[in-house]
Amino acid sequence: MILAIESSCDDSSVAIMKASDFSLVHYEKISQEEEHAKYGGVVPELAARLHTAALPEVILRAKEHFSALKAIAVTNEPGLSVSLLPGIVAAKALATALNLPLISVNHLVGHIYSLFLEGPIKLPLGVLLVSGGHTMILGINKTGVISVLGATSDDSFGESFDKSAKMLGLGYPGGPQIQNLALKGDDRAYDFSLPLKGTKRLEYSFSGLKNQVRLACLELENSRIPYSVIPRLDRGISSENSRISSENSRIPSLNSKFPSEIPSQQKANIAASFERVACLHIIDRLKLAFSSQKWARFGVVGGASANLRLRSMLESLCASYDCELLFAPLEYCSDNAVMIARAAVTKYHNKDFCESLEMHPRSSLENLKII
């Protein structure tokens, strides 16, 4: 059995998996969402303190399995340095105390393995990775080597949801908040423009769409006329209110909190319109990838993959290309130690242990071999 530790961001998690048949023996996860929600996002120093307090307790609750362990695995890249460190320190201490080898696991590779928690990985494979600050299209060949086919040039899919939710005065994390509010809104109320429309560059960009949300909020805040006569927004701002664009001193920063006077229905309309275009942007770029790749199966991983609108659109896309669509179980879409344990099982069978465990807050997947 392998014990795995995950602490790359704001979740303290421990899992134990059998290396022989991938069966899950033990799993516990402590989320820090409630603590960070007060600040509208993850506060790294707070995350570090909470990991330091939680991990020893979570590990201790798995003590009954210590005698059967064969290795200790831990996420060492990428992630917040102050969050990775408590996990690495705990893994080193446990491995030393139990005289067990250490296995380092790339957090993003863990997400890929979340598609295959109960069995062998199936390759070749296309992957959309939407996790935290990452939005990438990956190609993994039959030998397990990753090619990064496209990535975001600014904000990630998930970050755009978090920041838009903050501008709308919603809670953290923004993904579920936007999704739930969007159900009550008109997703055609705002003509937010589709990022990179018509271009052939295989990349993502969400900063412009996020700015359109900001301008929509600002226009409603500045307006004193009934909403029924407010023009629909095209490219984020109406012509009759174009004066706003030149009055920079009056435009709040993206971190500003807009007053609560925006009517709840208009918040819902903004959320729905944003969600629709953000998901369309994902699909629009994926069509470019599918036009040049011949994937028999395509997986979607990461916390933001839980978005139901995105899932529905991906199902339609893959059906049109006769491609099998794979999702991680919803409970394992976000950061968790189970996926780290699963990735570690492959490394254990390959005897891929690390003599010196180092932390890499930033890392690349390009040409990385995962089997």
Side-chain angles (χ1 to χ4, degrees):
M1 292 193 289
I2 296 172
L3 184 146
I5 300 171
E6 158 60 29
S7 67
S8 61
C9 190
D10 60 341
D11 291 308
S12 304
S13 183
V14 170
I16 297 176
M17 181 176 284
K18 287 186 178 180
S20 57
D21 60 5
F22 314 108
S23 59
L24 186 61
V25 176
H26 176 88
Y27 174 54
E28 183 177 355
K29 170 178 168 177
I30 296 179
S31 174
Q32 302 176 3
E33 285 182 1
E34 185 175 343
E35 288 82 359
H36 293 289
K38 304 170 187 175
Y39 307 98
V42 176
V43 180
E45 291 76 12
L46 176 59
R49 291 198 298 272
L50 293 172
H51 283 310
T52 301
L55 282 173
E57 296 180 4
V58 177
I59 292 171
L60 191 59
R61 286 194 281 271
K63 186 177 180 179
E64 64 180 291
H65 303 291
F66 283 4
S67 61
L69 295 179
K70 298 298 182 183
I72 305 297
V74 64
T75 301
N76 73 318
E77 62 179 355
L80 298 174
S81 58
V82 292
S83 291
L84 290 168
L85 186 58
I88 291 173
V89 169
K92 285 182 174 181
L94 191 59
T96 300
L98 299 178
N99 193 28
L100 295 173
L102 278 167
I103 299 174
S104 62
V105 177
N106 183 298
H107 175 78
L108 303 181
V109 172
H111 274 299
I112 295 171
Y113 271 97
S114 70
L115 298 169
F116 307 99
L117 295 177
E118 299 179 349
I121 190 170
K122 298 177 182 178
L123 300 173
L125 177 72
V127 174
L128 170 67
L129 192 151
V130 279
S131 169
H134 303 275
T135 299
M136 290 187 278
I137 303 172
L138 309 174
I140 310 174
N141 66 22
K142 62 183 180 180
T143 64
V145 177
I146 297 176
S147 296
V148 179
L149 305 178
T152 182
S153 58
D154 41 63
D155 289 318
S156 71
F157 182 71
E159 286 173 332
S160 69
F161 274 75
D162 286 338
K163 293 176 181 179
S164 294
K166 188 172 183 178
M167 288 186 282
L168 287 168
L170 307 178
Y172 172 84
Q177 300 285 343
I178 290 284
Q179 178 176 266
N180 292 336
L181 185 59
L183 295 173
K184 305 173 184 177
D186 175 5
D187 65 6
R188 301 283 177 171
Y190 289 84
D191 290 327
F192 295 145
S193 58
L194 182 66
L196 304 179
K197 183 178 181 179
T199 69
K200 298 300 182 183
R201 300 198 307 274
L202 191 52
E203 65 177 286
Y204 287 107
S205 175
F206 291 94
S207 61
L209 177 58
K210 177 188 65 182
N211 194 48
Q212 291 179 73
V213 171
R214 180 175 72 96
L215 292 171
C217 292
L218 181 65
E219 183 163 5
L220 285 174
E221 287 297 336
N222 287 346
S223 176
R224 292 296 179 267
I225 58 178
Y227 178 75
S228 60
V229 297
I230 293 178
R232 288 161 63 100
L233 296 180
D234 186 14
R235 298 188 179 277
I237 189 165
S238 67
S239 58
E240 79 174 65
N241 288 298
S242 60
R243 59 182 173 78
I244 296 173
S245 63
S246 62
E247 298 177 6
N248 294 329
S249 62
R250 294 181 58 198
I251 298 179
S253 71
L254 289 173
N255 291 324
S256 298
K257 288 187 176 180
F258 289 94
S260 59
E261 284 79 12
I262 296 179
S264 58
Q265 185 56 54
Q266 308 332 322
K267 285 187 178 183
N269 290 345
I270 292 173
S273 299
F274 160 77
E275 183 187 51
R276 178 181 63 84
V277 177
C279 292
L280 276 175
H281 183 37
I282 291 288
I283 300 301
D284 182 59
R285 298 295 93 184
L286 278 178
K287 287 180 179 178
L288 282 178
F290 271 84
S291 68
S292 61
Q293 305 290 326
K294 303 298 181 183
W295 287 312
R297 59 183 66 88
F298 188 81
V300 187
V301 300
S305 69
N307 182 274
L308 297 180
R309 182 193 287 264
L310 178 61
R311 286 188 166 221
S312 176
M313 296 172 74
L314 286 165
E315 287 171 355
S316 298
L317 175 70
C318 287
S320 68
Y321 284 93
D322 194 25
C323 177
E324 180 186 4
L325 179 60
L326 306 175
F327 287 116
L330 278 173
E331 63 267 33
Y332 300 125
C333 283
S334 59
D335 297 350
N336 65 87
V338 178
M339 66 185 194
I340 303 303
R342 175 60 189 87
V345 167
T346 295
K347 284 197 159 190
Y348 175 77
H349 287 306
N350 292 337
K351 294 182 171 50
D352 188 0
F353 306 118
C354 53
E355 297 296 330
S356 176
L357 182 57
E358 298 180 356
M359 176 177 63
H360 302 286
R362 295 179 180 273
S363 62
S364 174
L365 290 178
E366 184 66 31
N367 293 322
L368 185 67
K369 187 176 175 63
I370 65 171
I371 60 171

